[in-house]
Amino acid sequence: MENYLIPVTFPDLDTAKRDAGSFVDALRAAGMQARMIADPGLDSPDDSGRPDPGPTTRELRVHAGSADEARRRVQEVTDGQFPRGLVLLGEPTPL
């Protein structure tokens, strides 16, 4: 088993902030070891007046037997949690 970093692109900053935690919870409920890499820029409490920057990418760290398995299992949870195509996954990178 290895660790992989998978870029997860949400449609906007608000979705990334609101749904990243429940997405990781769903991955864990599916039996995966997963966590979002901390991004201090996403946790600003005074951002209500800011323009939305559009698609927002977070980095997801998962533990899996192979890059293909990591992507497949994360994609299954993504498809079950979000409408198809709303959240996009990048290619897994071994750590």
Side-chain angles (χ1 to χ4, degrees), residues 3-33:
N3 288 308
Y4 294 91
L5 195 64
I6 301 177
V8 179
T9 303
F10 294 90
D12 54 49
L13 179 61
D14 291 334
T15 303
K17 289 175 71 169
R18 181 186 64 239
D19 294 337
S22 63
F23 178 53
V24 170
D25 290 345
L27 290 166
R28 290 177 180 162
M32 294 191 75
Q33 292 181 14

Side-chain angles (χ1 to χ4, degrees), residues 57-70:
T57 301
R58 302 280 312 265
E59 292 182 331
L60 175 69
R61 185 174 179 163
V62 297
H63 193 69
S66 69
D68 288 338
E69 177 191 354

Side-chain angles (χ1 to χ4, degrees), residues 38-72:
D39 185 346
L42 291 179
D43 296 326
S44 173
D46 299 324
D47 64 356
S48 62
R50 54 101 176 106
D52 195 308
T56 301
T57 301
R58 302 280 312 265
E59 292 182 331
L60 175 69
R61 185 174 179 163
V62 297
H63 193 69
S66 69
D68 288 338
E69 177 191 354
R71 189 170 203 304
R72 179 185 53 78

